[in-house]
Amino acid sequence: MLNLLTKRAKTLHIGPANFCWFTDPSRALCLKLAGTPTADQPLVGMCDSARCPQATHHPCHRPVWAEHAARTKTFLGDLGKTRNTERSRLQNDYDRALRVVAEIDAATLHQPDEESA
């Protein structure tokens, strides 16, 4: 069991907004975006965890995503009417942050009660 856990732990990269399970470099969105599909580690600074199939979000990540959504909403409210390109980009970012928060909340609600386990 320890050997299995050790092997799996080597693929886990912990970030403030997600956990990256870097098991298959060819599936890592960060490496595809950087044009380095054969790298042996993820590029955490380029992580788009809302789109990467190897990233997972957990309740401990919710505050980061909720704060990001709140700040993005503030920026959206401050944009002038002529800033259509910026508004579109920020709206997509805001929608993505809200989706991640909603998915974290939904997963949290469906977890079995630890006391009854």
Side-chain angles (χ1 to χ4, degrees):
M1 184 65 148
L2 185 57
N3 288 340
L4 289 173
L5 290 174
T6 301
K7 182 179 178 185
R8 190 69 171 160
K10 291 178 182 177
T11 65
L12 176 62
H13 298 267
I14 298 174
N18 68 293
F19 294 155
C20 175
W21 297 92
F22 192 71
T23 56
D24 183 359
S26 68
R27 295 180 60 214
L29 180 61
C30 61
L31 300 185
K32 288 179 184 179
L33 293 174
T36 58
T38 59
D40 61 352
Q41 291 186 29
L43 301 171
V44 178
M46 293 188 68
C47 183
D48 185 352
S49 64
R51 293 177 34 212
C52 184
Q54 298 190 107
T56 58
H57 302 104
H58 302 270
C60 61
H61 301 121
R62 190 187 190 286
V64 173
W65 284 97
E67 181 181 347
H68 177 62
R71 288 183 183 201
T72 305
K73 184 177 181 180
T74 299
F75 285 124
L76 276 168
D78 290 344
L79 282 177
K81 294 183 184 223
T82 61
R83 303 287 187 162
N84 294 329
T85 303
E86 292 88 350
R87 181 175 307 282
S88 176
R89 183 184 60 78
L90 283 174
Q91 185 65 52
N92 289 337
D93 202 34
Y94 177 66
D95 293 343
R96 179 174 43 196
L98 289 180
R99 179 176 49 84
V100 171
V101 168
E103 289 172 0
I104 291 170
D105 290 346
T108 303
L109 290 174
H110 293 104
Q111 288 182 349
D113 188 13
E114 290 181 15
E115 292 179 9
S116 64

